[in-house]
Amino acid sequence: AINIEVNDFSNFPRNVELYNMLGEKLLNFTPAESKFTVSLTNLANGNYYLKIISEDKVYTQKIIKEK
């Protein structure tokens, strides 16, 4: 799992999305506050992109899951 705290948005994220390298959306949720957890437990090892969207900003981070 990845623990995330978003501090640079004017308000907490409206949407969090996780994509694989093929561009397939694997996870999509709306967090209730600026601190949240993204579980990678059920995902295979590999590269992913985490996208955090607020009303006025989009933040994308590459994630590498290894055993």
Side-chain angles (χ1 to χ4, degrees):
I2 298 173
N3 295 316
I4 299 171
E5 181 175 359
V6 178
N7 293 320
D8 62 345
F9 287 89
S10 57
N11 49 30
F12 61 86
R14 296 192 180 273
N15 205 31
V16 176
E17 301 171 349
L18 184 70
Y19 294 88
N20 64 17
M21 296 304 289
L22 299 175
E24 299 168 327
K25 190 184 298 184
L26 306 175
L27 179 68
N28 184 20
F29 70 95
T30 301
E33 56 186 47
S34 62
K35 292 182 182 180
F36 55 92
T37 301
V38 177
S39 177
L40 304 178
T41 306
N42 295 327
L43 299 176
N45 290 348
N47 297 321
Y48 298 92
Y49 283 100
L50 181 69
K51 189 174 187 181
I52 301 171
I53 304 163
S54 78
E55 190 171 308
D56 60 346
K57 294 183 183 179
V58 176
Y59 175 79
T60 304
Q61 177 66 48
K62 183 177 179 182
I63 297 173
I64 301 171
K65 181 184 177 191
E66 299 177 338
K67 187 172 182 181

